[in-house]
Amino acid sequence: MEPSINFKPAVSLTEQIANHLSDEIITGKLAPAQRIQELKVAKSLGVSRGSVREALLILEGRHLIEIIPRRGAVVSGLHREQVESLFEITSTLLTMLMTKATRVWKDASELAGFDDALKDMEQALDEGNIGAFTDATGAYFRAAFPLCGNCYLQSIVEDLLPAHQRLMYQVLARGSERMEQDLAELRAVLVAIRSRTVQAVEHTMSNFSRRQRERALELS
Amino acid sequence: MEPSINFKPAVSLTEQIANHLSDEIITGKLAPAQRIQELKVAKSLGVSRGSVREALLILEGRHLIEIIPRRGAVVSGLHREQVESLFEITSTLLTMLMTKATRVWKDASELAGFDDALKDMEQALDEGNIGAFTDATGAYFRAAFPLCGNCYLQSIVEDLLPAHQRLMYQVLARGSERMEQDLAELRAVLVAIRSRTVQAVEHTMSNFSRRQRERALELS
Protein backbone atom coordinates (compact mmCIF):
# COMPACT_ATOMS: atom_id res chain seq x y z
CA MET A 1 0.00 0.00 0.00
CA GLU A 2 1.34 3.46 -0.91
CA PRO A 3 2.24 5.54 2.17
CA SER A 4 0.49 8.71 0.97
CA ILE A 5 -2.27 9.95 -1.33
CA ASN A 6 -2.56 13.27 -3.08
CA PHE A 7 -5.78 14.49 -1.52
CA LYS A 8 -7.94 16.59 -3.82
CA PRO A 9 -9.98 19.23 -2.00
CA ALA A 10 -13.25 18.72 -3.97
CA VAL A 11 -13.71 15.10 -2.91
CA SER A 12 -14.34 14.21 0.74
CA LEU A 13 -11.56 12.49 2.67
CA THR A 14 -13.70 9.36 3.06
CA GLU A 15 -14.31 9.25 -0.69
CA GLN A 16 -10.59 9.68 -1.39
CA ILE A 17 -9.66 6.82 0.93
CA ALA A 18 -12.37 4.69 -0.72
CA ASN A 19 -11.05 5.54 -4.20
CA HIS A 20 -7.49 4.75 -3.16
CA LEU A 21 -8.48 1.34 -1.78
CA SER A 22 -10.72 0.71 -4.84
CA ASP A 23 -7.70 1.22 -7.09
CA GLU A 24 -5.65 -1.22 -5.03
CA ILE A 25 -8.39 -3.85 -5.35
CA ILE A 26 -9.06 -3.21 -9.08
CA THR A 27 -5.37 -3.51 -9.94
CA GLY A 28 -4.94 -6.60 -7.76
CA LYS A 29 -2.51 -5.05 -5.26
CA LEU A 30 -5.09 -6.11 -2.71
CA ALA A 31 -5.89 -9.74 -3.59
CA PRO A 32 -9.19 -11.67 -3.30
CA ALA A 33 -9.88 -12.81 0.29
CA GLN A 34 -7.17 -10.51 1.67
CA ARG A 35 -8.05 -8.85 4.98
CA ILE A 36 -8.09 -5.05 5.16
CA GLN A 37 -7.18 -3.87 8.64
CA GLU A 38 -8.68 -0.55 9.67
CA LEU A 39 -5.84 0.41 11.97
CA LYS A 40 -3.12 -0.46 9.48
CA VAL A 41 -4.78 1.52 6.68
CA ALA A 42 -5.38 4.48 9.02
CA LYS A 43 -1.71 4.53 10.06
CA SER A 44 -0.31 4.08 6.55
CA LEU A 45 -2.48 6.88 5.11
CA GLY A 46 -2.23 9.14 8.15
CA VAL A 47 -6.01 9.38 8.57
CA SER A 48 -8.40 8.60 11.42
CA ARG A 49 -9.76 5.14 11.99
CA GLY A 50 -13.29 6.55 11.68
CA SER A 51 -12.57 7.80 8.15
CA VAL A 52 -11.29 4.35 7.19
CA ARG A 53 -14.44 2.70 8.63
CA GLU A 54 -16.57 5.04 6.50
CA ALA A 55 -14.46 4.31 3.41
CA LEU A 56 -14.92 0.58 4.01
CA LEU A 57 -18.71 1.03 4.04
CA ILE A 58 -18.43 2.73 0.65
CA LEU A 59 -16.26 -0.13 -0.67
CA GLU A 60 -18.85 -2.63 0.57
CA GLY A 61 -21.49 -0.71 -1.38
CA ARG A 62 -19.23 -1.02 -4.43
CA HIS A 63 -19.17 -4.80 -3.96
CA LEU A 64 -15.36 -4.77 -3.64
CA ILE A 65 -15.17 -5.98 -0.04
CA GLU A 66 -17.32 -7.84 2.43
CA ILE A 67 -17.59 -6.67 6.01
CA ILE A 68 -17.94 -9.70 8.24
CA PRO A 69 -19.14 -9.10 11.84
CA ARG A 70 -16.31 -9.50 14.37
CA ARG A 71 -13.83 -10.29 11.55
CA GLY A 72 -13.68 -7.06 9.63
CA ALA A 73 -13.23 -6.26 5.96
CA VAL A 74 -12.14 -8.84 3.40
CA VAL A 75 -11.57 -8.27 -0.34
CA SER A 76 -14.37 -9.93 -2.38
CA GLY A 77 -13.51 -13.23 -4.02
CA LEU A 78 -13.36 -13.94 -7.73
CA HIS A 79 -14.77 -17.46 -7.71
CA ARG A 80 -16.59 -18.72 -10.75
CA GLU A 81 -20.01 -18.26 -9.14
CA GLN A 82 -19.22 -14.66 -8.16
CA VAL A 83 -17.96 -13.82 -11.65
CA GLU A 84 -21.09 -15.36 -13.24
CA SER A 85 -23.33 -13.47 -10.82
CA LEU A 86 -21.59 -10.17 -11.43
CA PHE A 87 -21.93 -10.47 -15.20
CA GLU A 88 -25.55 -11.56 -14.99
CA ILE A 89 -26.51 -8.41 -13.10
CA THR A 90 -24.19 -5.93 -14.84
CA SER A 91 -25.18 -7.10 -18.31
CA THR A 92 -28.88 -6.69 -17.41
CA LEU A 93 -28.41 -3.22 -15.94
CA LEU A 94 -25.88 -1.88 -18.46
CA THR A 95 -28.17 -2.98 -21.29
CA MET A 96 -31.12 -1.29 -19.55
CA LEU A 97 -28.99 1.86 -19.20
CA MET A 98 -27.89 1.89 -22.84
CA THR A 99 -31.34 1.17 -24.30
CA LYS A 100 -32.82 3.97 -22.18
CA ALA A 101 -30.17 6.35 -23.55
CA THR A 102 -30.98 5.15 -27.09
CA ARG A 103 -34.66 5.98 -26.66
CA VAL A 104 -34.03 9.40 -25.15
CA TRP A 105 -31.22 11.19 -27.01
CA LYS A 106 -32.29 13.98 -29.35
CA ASP A 107 -29.25 15.97 -30.40
CA ALA A 108 -25.95 14.38 -31.54
CA SER A 109 -24.09 16.56 -29.01
CA GLU A 110 -25.65 14.46 -26.24
CA LEU A 111 -23.53 11.53 -27.43
CA ALA A 112 -20.21 13.42 -27.18
CA GLY A 113 -19.37 11.71 -23.88
CA PHE A 114 -19.32 8.32 -25.61
CA ASP A 115 -16.98 9.64 -28.34
CA ASP A 116 -14.67 11.17 -25.75
CA ALA A 117 -14.48 7.90 -23.84
CA LEU A 118 -13.75 5.95 -27.03
CA LYS A 119 -10.93 8.39 -27.83
CA ASP A 120 -9.48 7.86 -24.35
CA MET A 121 -9.71 4.10 -24.90
CA GLU A 122 -7.82 4.46 -28.21
CA GLN A 123 -5.08 6.47 -26.55
CA ALA A 124 -4.77 3.99 -23.68
CA LEU A 125 -4.60 1.18 -26.25
CA ASP A 126 -1.73 2.98 -28.06
CA GLU A 127 0.09 3.41 -24.75
CA GLY A 128 -0.70 -0.09 -23.55
CA ASN A 129 -2.09 1.50 -20.37
CA ILE A 130 -4.56 -1.00 -18.89
CA GLY A 131 -5.60 1.23 -15.98
CA ALA A 132 -6.42 4.17 -18.25
CA PHE A 133 -8.27 1.79 -20.60
CA THR A 134 -10.57 0.37 -17.92
CA ASP A 135 -11.12 3.89 -16.52
CA ALA A 136 -12.21 5.03 -19.98
CA THR A 137 -14.59 2.05 -20.24
CA GLY A 138 -16.20 3.23 -17.00
CA ALA A 139 -16.46 6.74 -18.48
CA TYR A 140 -18.14 5.26 -21.58
CA PHE A 141 -20.99 3.76 -19.58
CA ARG A 142 -21.25 6.83 -17.33
CA ALA A 143 -21.80 8.91 -20.50
CA ALA A 144 -25.29 7.35 -20.55
CA PHE A 145 -26.16 8.66 -17.07
CA PRO A 146 -27.41 12.12 -18.10
CA LEU A 147 -29.64 10.40 -20.69
CA CYS A 148 -31.06 7.57 -18.60
CA GLY A 149 -33.28 9.69 -16.32
CA ASN A 150 -33.26 7.13 -13.53
CA CYS A 151 -31.27 8.10 -10.44
CA TYR A 152 -31.67 4.62 -8.92
CA LEU A 153 -30.38 2.81 -12.00
CA GLN A 154 -27.53 5.32 -12.17
CA SER A 155 -26.41 4.81 -8.57
CA ILE A 156 -26.70 1.01 -8.79
CA VAL A 157 -24.62 0.91 -12.00
CA GLU A 158 -22.12 3.37 -10.50
CA ASP A 159 -21.68 0.96 -7.59
CA LEU A 160 -21.25 -2.03 -9.95
CA LEU A 161 -18.71 -0.43 -12.30
CA PRO A 162 -15.65 -0.80 -10.02
CA ALA A 163 -16.22 -4.57 -9.66
CA HIS A 164 -16.71 -4.81 -13.44
CA GLN A 165 -13.58 -2.72 -13.98
CA ARG A 166 -11.67 -5.02 -11.62
CA LEU A 167 -12.51 -8.05 -13.77
CA MET A 168 -11.60 -6.19 -16.98
CA TYR A 169 -8.29 -5.14 -15.46
CA GLN A 170 -7.44 -8.68 -14.37
CA VAL A 171 -8.30 -10.03 -17.83
CA LEU A 172 -6.28 -7.36 -19.67
CA ALA A 173 -3.31 -7.85 -17.34
CA ARG A 174 -3.07 -11.35 -18.83
CA GLY A 175 -3.13 -10.13 -22.41
CA SER A 176 -3.47 -6.45 -23.26
CA GLU A 177 -4.02 -7.26 -26.97
CA ARG A 178 -7.60 -7.90 -25.97
CA MET A 179 -8.16 -4.17 -25.60
CA GLU A 180 -8.64 -3.91 -29.35
CA GLN A 181 -11.65 -6.20 -29.28
CA ASP A 182 -13.21 -4.33 -26.34
CA LEU A 183 -12.82 -1.07 -28.24
CA ALA A 184 -14.37 -2.54 -31.41
CA GLU A 185 -17.36 -3.86 -29.45
CA LEU A 186 -18.03 -0.59 -27.64
CA ARG A 187 -17.74 1.26 -30.96
CA ALA A 188 -20.42 -1.07 -32.33
CA VAL A 189 -22.65 -0.25 -29.35
CA LEU A 190 -22.34 3.49 -30.12
CA VAL A 191 -23.20 2.90 -33.79
CA ALA A 192 -26.33 1.09 -32.56
CA ILE A 193 -27.21 3.96 -30.19
CA ARG A 194 -26.77 6.47 -33.06
CA SER A 195 -29.07 4.38 -35.27
CA ARG A 196 -31.72 4.57 -32.48
CA THR A 197 -32.29 0.84 -32.85
CA VAL A 198 -32.94 -0.64 -29.42
CA GLN A 199 -32.61 -4.18 -30.75
CA ALA A 200 -29.15 -3.43 -32.18
CA VAL A 201 -28.08 -1.96 -28.83
CA GLU A 202 -29.30 -5.09 -27.04
CA HIS A 203 -27.44 -7.26 -29.55
CA THR A 204 -24.11 -5.39 -29.41
CA MET A 205 -24.28 -5.09 -25.60
CA SER A 206 -24.98 -8.80 -25.36
CA ASN A 207 -21.88 -9.53 -27.50
CA PHE A 208 -19.75 -7.32 -25.30
CA SER A 209 -21.08 -8.80 -22.05
CA ARG A 210 -20.87 -12.40 -23.19
CA ARG A 211 -17.27 -12.13 -24.25
CA GLN A 212 -16.26 -10.20 -21.14
CA ARG A 213 -17.83 -12.95 -19.08
CA GLU A 214 -16.11 -15.76 -20.98
CA ARG A 215 -12.71 -14.15 -20.54
CA ALA A 216 -13.24 -13.39 -16.87
CA LEU A 217 -14.27 -16.99 -16.25
CA GLU A 218 -10.88 -18.09 -17.58
CA LEU A 219 -9.40 -16.31 -14.55
CA SER A 220 -11.25 -18.41 -12.00
CA MET B 1 -37.44 10.99 17.00
CA GLU B 2 -37.57 8.51 19.89
CA PRO B 3 -34.97 9.27 22.57
CA SER B 4 -33.73 5.69 22.88
CA ILE B 5 -33.48 2.41 20.98
CA ASN B 6 -33.45 -1.13 22.31
CA PHE B 7 -30.04 -2.18 21.09
CA LYS B 8 -29.79 -5.86 20.14
CA PRO B 9 -26.33 -7.35 20.68
CA ALA B 10 -26.18 -9.37 17.42
CA VAL B 11 -26.48 -6.33 15.15
CA SER B 12 -23.72 -3.68 15.06
CA LEU B 13 -24.44 -0.29 16.60
CA THR B 14 -24.12 1.36 13.19
CA GLU B 15 -26.63 -1.07 11.69
CA GLN B 16 -29.03 -0.45 14.58
CA ILE B 17 -28.87 3.32 14.12
CA ALA B 18 -29.39 2.83 10.37
CA ASN B 19 -32.41 0.58 11.00
CA HIS B 20 -33.89 3.07 13.46
CA LEU B 21 -33.56 5.94 10.98
CA SER B 22 -34.85 3.71 8.14
CA ASP B 23 -38.02 3.08 10.16
CA GLU B 24 -38.50 6.79 10.72
CA ILE B 25 -38.19 7.44 6.98
CA ILE B 26 -40.38 4.48 5.93
CA THR B 27 -43.19 5.50 8.29
CA GLY B 28 -42.90 9.15 7.27
CA LYS B 29 -41.80 10.47 10.68
CA LEU B 30 -38.87 11.86 8.74
CA ALA B 31 -40.42 13.56 5.71
CA PRO B 32 -39.09 13.88 2.13
CA ALA B 33 -36.42 16.63 1.82
CA GLN B 34 -36.07 16.85 5.61
CA ARG B 35 -32.48 17.40 6.81
CA ILE B 36 -30.94 14.83 9.15
CA GLN B 37 -28.39 16.45 11.42
CA GLU B 38 -25.58 14.19 12.60
CA LEU B 39 -25.06 15.94 15.88
CA LYS B 40 -28.75 16.05 16.75
CA VAL B 41 -29.20 12.34 16.01
CA ALA B 42 -26.04 11.47 17.98
CA LYS B 43 -27.27 13.42 21.00
CA SER B 44 -30.83 12.10 20.91
CA LEU B 45 -29.68 8.47 20.63
CA GLY B 46 -26.71 8.83 22.97
CA VAL B 47 -24.23 7.54 20.38
CA SER B 48 -21.07 8.96 18.82
CA ARG B 49 -21.15 11.24 15.83
CA GLY B 50 -18.91 8.77 13.96
CA SER B 51 -21.50 6.00 14.38
CA VAL B 52 -24.19 8.29 13.00
CA ARG B 53 -21.98 9.17 10.00
CA GLU B 54 -21.53 5.48 9.26
CA ALA B 55 -25.28 4.86 9.62
CA LEU B 56 -25.96 7.68 7.15
CA LEU B 57 -23.68 6.01 4.58
CA ILE B 58 -25.75 2.83 4.99
CA LEU B 59 -28.98 4.83 4.52
CA GLU B 60 -27.55 6.41 1.38
CA GLY B 61 -26.86 2.88 0.07
CA ARG B 62 -30.51 2.08 0.81
CA HIS B 63 -31.56 5.03 -1.35
CA LEU B 64 -33.41 6.60 1.61
CA ILE B 65 -31.28 9.71 1.94
CA GLU B 66 -28.92 11.75 -0.18
CA ILE B 67 -25.65 13.02 1.24
CA ILE B 68 -24.89 16.39 -0.31
CA PRO B 69 -21.31 17.71 0.06
CA ARG B 70 -21.14 20.57 2.58
CA ARG B 71 -24.89 20.32 3.21
CA GLY B 72 -25.23 16.93 4.81
CA ALA B 73 -27.95 14.29 4.74
CA VAL B 74 -31.42 14.93 3.34
CA VAL B 75 -34.33 12.46 3.17
CA SER B 76 -34.91 11.34 -0.46
CA GLY B 77 -37.81 12.96 -2.25
CA LEU B 78 -40.94 11.26 -3.51
CA HIS B 79 -41.43 13.23 -6.71
CA ARG B 80 -43.17 11.59 -9.63
CA GLU B 81 -39.90 11.00 -11.49
CA GLN B 82 -38.29 9.36 -8.47
CA VAL B 83 -41.30 7.10 -7.90
CA GLU B 84 -41.33 6.05 -11.58
CA SER B 85 -37.57 5.39 -11.51
CA LEU B 86 -37.78 3.34 -8.33
CA PHE B 87 -40.53 1.12 -9.71
CA GLU B 88 -38.77 0.68 -13.04
CA ILE B 89 -35.68 -0.70 -11.37
CA THR B 90 -37.35 -2.66 -8.55
CA SER B 91 -39.83 -4.33 -10.87
CA THR B 92 -36.98 -5.44 -13.17
CA LEU B 93 -34.87 -6.78 -10.32
CA LEU B 94 -37.66 -8.34 -8.24
CA THR B 95 -38.93 -10.14 -11.35
CA MET B 96 -35.38 -11.34 -12.08
CA LEU B 97 -35.13 -12.57 -8.47
CA MET B 98 -38.45 -14.41 -8.55
CA THR B 99 -37.90 -16.05 -11.95
CA LYS B 100 -34.47 -17.26 -10.82
CA ALA B 101 -36.08 -18.80 -7.72
CA THR B 102 -38.73 -20.41 -9.94
CA ARG B 103 -36.07 -22.08 -12.09
CA VAL B 104 -34.05 -23.34 -9.14
CA TRP B 105 -36.33 -24.68 -6.40
CA LYS B 106 -36.48 -28.47 -6.10
CA ASP B 107 -38.19 -29.39 -2.86
CA ALA B 108 -41.45 -27.78 -1.64
CA SER B 109 -39.76 -27.08 1.71
CA GLU B 110 -37.61 -24.47 -0.04
CA LEU B 111 -40.75 -22.36 -0.55
CA ALA B 112 -41.70 -22.33 3.16
CA GLY B 113 -40.31 -18.80 3.57
CA PHE B 114 -42.91 -17.47 1.11
CA ASP B 115 -45.73 -19.22 2.98
CA ASP B 116 -44.51 -17.85 6.32
CA ALA B 117 -44.37 -14.32 4.92
CA LEU B 118 -47.89 -14.64 3.47
CA LYS B 119 -49.16 -15.82 6.88
CA ASP B 120 -47.53 -12.78 8.52
CA MET B 121 -49.18 -10.57 5.91
CA GLU B 122 -52.58 -12.15 6.71
CA GLN B 123 -52.12 -11.54 10.41
CA ALA B 124 -51.03 -7.94 9.84
CA LEU B 125 -54.10 -7.47 7.62
CA ASP B 126 -56.38 -8.79 10.40
CA GLU B 127 -54.74 -6.41 12.87
CA GLY B 128 -54.69 -3.50 10.43
CA ASN B 129 -50.96 -3.18 11.18
CA ILE B 130 -49.42 -1.43 8.17
CA GLY B 131 -45.83 -1.59 9.48
CA ALA B 132 -46.01 -5.35 10.09
CA PHE B 133 -47.62 -5.79 6.67
CA THR B 134 -44.88 -4.00 4.75
CA ASP B 135 -42.23 -5.81 6.85
CA ALA B 136 -43.79 -9.13 5.84
CA THR B 137 -43.76 -8.06 2.18
CA GLY B 138 -40.02 -7.50 2.51
CA ALA B 139 -39.68 -10.96 4.08
CA TYR B 140 -41.65 -12.42 1.16
CA PHE B 141 -39.12 -11.21 -1.41
CA ARG B 142 -36.16 -12.08 0.84
CA ALA B 143 -37.48 -15.67 0.90
CA ALA B 144 -36.16 -15.89 -2.68
CA PHE B 145 -32.59 -14.99 -1.65
CA PRO B 146 -31.39 -18.50 -0.74
CA LEU B 147 -32.74 -19.70 -4.11
CA CYS B 148 -31.43 -16.95 -6.38
CA GLY B 149 -27.74 -17.86 -6.18
CA ASN B 150 -26.58 -14.35 -7.04
CA CYS B 151 -25.02 -12.41 -4.17
CA TYR B 152 -24.93 -9.18 -6.21
CA LEU B 153 -28.62 -9.33 -7.13
CA GLN B 154 -29.39 -10.14 -3.49
CA SER B 155 -27.49 -7.17 -2.07
CA ILE B 156 -28.90 -4.75 -4.65
CA VAL B 157 -32.49 -5.89 -3.95
CA GLU B 158 -31.84 -5.78 -0.19
CA ASP B 159 -30.79 -2.14 -0.61
CA LEU B 160 -33.88 -1.33 -2.72
CA LEU B 161 -36.47 -2.97 -0.44
CA PRO B 162 -36.55 -0.19 2.21
CA ALA B 163 -37.35 2.46 -0.43
CA HIS B 164 -40.02 0.14 -1.90
CA GLN B 165 -41.38 -0.50 1.60
CA ARG B 166 -41.52 3.25 2.22
CA LEU B 167 -43.78 3.76 -0.81
CA MET B 168 -45.98 0.80 0.20
CA TYR B 169 -46.29 2.22 3.72
CA GLN B 170 -47.24 5.67 2.45
CA VAL B 171 -49.85 4.18 0.11
CA LEU B 172 -51.38 1.93 2.79
CA ALA B 173 -51.44 4.79 5.30
CA ARG B 174 -53.98 6.41 2.95
CA GLY B 175 -56.19 3.34 2.75
CA SER B 176 -55.28 0.13 4.54
CA GLU B 177 -58.05 -1.78 2.71
CA ARG B 178 -55.56 -2.04 -0.12
CA MET B 179 -53.59 -4.63 1.85
CA GLU B 180 -56.07 -7.28 0.70
CA GLN B 181 -55.19 -6.75 -2.95
CA ASP B 182 -51.44 -6.84 -2.23
CA LEU B 183 -51.89 -10.12 -0.42
CA ALA B 184 -53.95 -11.61 -3.28
CA GLU B 185 -51.31 -10.59 -5.83
CA LEU B 186 -48.38 -12.01 -3.88
CA ARG B 187 -50.36 -15.23 -3.35
CA ALA B 188 -50.76 -15.43 -7.14
CA VAL B 189 -46.99 -15.00 -7.57
CA LEU B 190 -46.37 -17.95 -5.24
CA VAL B 191 -48.87 -20.10 -7.17
CA ALA B 192 -46.89 -19.25 -10.31
CA ILE B 193 -43.57 -20.12 -8.63
CA ARG B 194 -45.05 -23.47 -7.48
CA SER B 195 -46.19 -24.21 -11.05
CA ARG B 196 -42.58 -23.61 -12.19
CA THR B 197 -43.90 -21.41 -15.00
CA VAL B 198 -41.52 -18.50 -15.53
CA GLN B 199 -43.99 -16.72 -17.79
CA ALA B 200 -46.69 -16.86 -15.11
CA VAL B 201 -44.24 -15.45 -12.56
CA GLU B 202 -43.38 -12.60 -14.92
CA HIS B 203 -47.08 -11.94 -15.50
CA THR B 204 -48.12 -11.95 -11.83
CA MET B 205 -45.07 -9.89 -10.80
CA SER B 206 -45.84 -7.40 -13.54
CA ASN B 207 -49.42 -7.06 -12.20
CA PHE B 208 -48.14 -6.49 -8.69
CA SER B 209 -45.50 -3.93 -9.77
CA ARG B 210 -47.81 -2.04 -12.12
CA ARG B 211 -50.50 -1.57 -9.51
CA GLN B 212 -48.00 -0.65 -6.79
CA ARG B 213 -46.61 1.97 -9.13
CA GLU B 214 -50.02 3.41 -10.03
CA ARG B 215 -50.95 3.78 -6.41
CA ALA B 216 -47.64 5.30 -5.42
CA LEU B 217 -47.94 7.85 -8.22
CA GLU B 218 -51.21 9.03 -6.70
CA LEU B 219 -49.12 10.19 -3.72
CA SER B 220 -46.95 12.55 -5.75
Side-chain angles (χ1 to χ4, degrees):
Chain A
M1 209 171 287
E2 293 295 306
S4 71
I5 323 179
N6 275 326
F7 289 120
K8 295 169 211 148
V11 184
S12 78
L13 179 63
T14 300
E15 191 72 27
Q16 288 172 60
I17 300 167
N19 290 345
H20 172 73
L21 291 171
S22 288
D23 281 346
E24 305 248 300
I25 297 171
I26 288 169
T27 57
K29 275 176 218 151
L30 286 169
Q34 193 173 330
R35 252 192 87 187
I36 302 179
Q37 288 171 287
E38 264 171 45
L39 204 60
K40 222 171 130 188
V41 175
K43 273 189 185 161
S44 82
L45 299 179
V47 296
S48 76
R49 198 162 169 173
S51 296
V52 176
R53 285 174 65 87
E54 289 173 31
L56 292 177
L57 285 169
I58 291 176
L59 289 187
E60 190 184 33
R62 289 181 191 164
H63 314 282
L64 293 176
I65 66 165
E66 282 156 47
I67 299 177
I68 302 161
R70 277 180 295 274
R71 273 201 52 209
V74 170
V75 178
S76 297
L78 288 179
H79 300 298
R80 191 176 179 86
E81 202 185 284
Q82 287 162 308
V83 172
E84 298 252 26
S85 295
L86 180 65
F87 277 104
E88 182 180 44
I89 192 80
T90 45
S91 87
T92 302
L93 294 178
L94 287 177
T95 304
M96 189 172 168
L97 177 71
M98 299 312 253
T99 55
K100 280 175 73 67
T102 304
R103 286 196 180 92
V104 159
W105 75 272
K106 290 196 177 75
D107 189 88
S109 65
E110 292 171 286
L111 306 180
F114 295 109
D115 285 313
D116 292 344
L118 288 174
K119 266 179 220 145
D120 289 344
M121 288 173 77
E122 275 168 46
Q123 199 187 326
L125 171 69
D126 287 343
E127 294 165 359
N129 186 338
I130 303 175
F133 189 85
T134 58
D135 279 351
T137 312
Y140 179 88
F141 291 113
R142 286 188 188 98
F145 286 168
L147 295 165
C148 94
N150 186 326
C151 56
Y152 295 94
L153 177 60
Q154 178 171 332
S155 84
I156 292 168
V157 168
E158 182 64 58
D159 280 342
L160 280 167
L161 283 174
H164 186 257
Q165 204 170 331
R166 180 191 185 197
L167 284 176
M168 270 193 96
Y169 190 98
Q170 299 304 322
V171 165
L172 293 173
R174 295 218 178 170
S176 62
E177 73 283 357
R178 290 164 171 173
M179 283 195 245
E180 228 155 317
Q181 205 177 347
D182 287 334
L183 181 57
E185 283 165 350
L186 292 183
R187 274 198 190 115
V189 174
L190 184 53
V191 169
I193 293 173
R194 280 221 162 81
S195 76
R196 300 189 200 270
T197 319
V198 168
Q199 224 183 333
V201 173
E202 284 168 353
H203 179 71
T204 50
M205 278 299 296
S206 148
N207 281 346
F208 172 74
S209 298
R210 199 187 50 246
R211 219 184 28 77
Q212 290 281 324
R213 178 181 160 279
E214 278 164 13
R215 281 193 197 163
L217 284 175
E218 290 167 15
L219 294 174
S220 61
Chain B
M1 210 172 287
E2 292 295 307
S4 72
I5 322 177
N6 275 327
F7 290 119
K8 294 170 213 151
V11 183
S12 77
L13 179 63
T14 300
E15 190 73 26
Q16 288 171 60
I17 301 167
N19 291 345
H20 172 73
L21 291 172
S22 288
D23 281 345
E24 306 248 300
I25 297 171
I26 290 169
T27 57
K29 275 175 216 148
L30 287 169
Q34 192 172 331
R35 252 193 87 188
I36 302 181
Q37 288 171 287
E38 265 171 45
L39 201 63
K40 221 171 130 186
V41 174
K43 273 188 187 162
S44 81
L45 299 179
V47 296
S48 76
R49 197 161 168 174
S51 296
V52 175
R53 284 173 66 87
E54 290 173 29
L56 293 177
L57 284 169
I58 293 176
L59 289 188
E60 190 184 33
R62 290 182 191 162
H63 314 281
L64 293 176
I65 65 165
E66 282 156 49
I67 299 177
I68 302 160
R70 278 180 295 273
R71 271 200 54 207
V74 170
V75 178
S76 298
L78 289 178
H79 299 297
R80 189 174 181 89
E81 201 185 286
Q82 288 161 307
V83 171
E84 298 252 27
S85 295
L86 180 66
F87 277 104
E88 182 180 43
I89 191 80
T90 46
S91 87
T92 301
L93 295 178
L94 287 177
T95 304
M96 189 173 169
L97 177 72
M98 300 312 253
T99 56
K100 281 176 73 66
T102 304
R103 285 194 181 94
V104 159
W105 75 271
K106 290 196 177 74
D107 190 88
S109 66
E110 292 172 286
L111 306 180
F114 295 108
D115 285 313
D116 291 347
L118 287 174
K119 264 178 223 147
D120 289 344
M121 288 173 77
E122 275 168 47
Q123 200 187 326
L125 171 68
D126 287 344
E127 293 166 358
N129 186 337
I130 303 174
F133 190 85
T134 58
D135 280 349
T137 312
Y140 179 89
F141 291 113
R142 287 187 187 98
F145 286 167
L147 295 166
C148 94
N150 187 326
C151 56
Y152 295 94
L153 177 60
Q154 179 172 331
S155 85
I156 293 169
V157 168
E158 182 64 57
D159 280 342
L160 280 167
L161 282 175
H164 185 257
Q165 204 169 332
R166 179 190 185 200
L167 283 178
M168 270 192 95
Y169 190 98
Q170 299 304 321
V171 166
L172 292 173
R174 294 217 179 169
S176 61
E177 71 283 358
R178 289 162 170 176
M179 284 195 245
E180 226 155 318
Q181 204 177 348
D182 288 332
L183 182 56
E185 283 165 350
L186 292 182
R187 273 198 190 115
V189 174
L190 184 54
V191 169
I193 293 172
R194 281 221 160 81
S195 76
R196 299 190 200 272
T197 319
V198 168
Q199 225 185 332
V201 172
E202 284 168 353
H203 179 72
T204 50
M205 277 299 295
S206 148
N207 280 346
F208 172 74
S209 298
R210 198 185 52 246
R211 219 184 27 78
Q212 290 280 324
R213 177 181 162 279
E214 278 165 14
R215 279 192 199 164
L217 284 174
E218 290 168 17
L219 293 173
S220 60

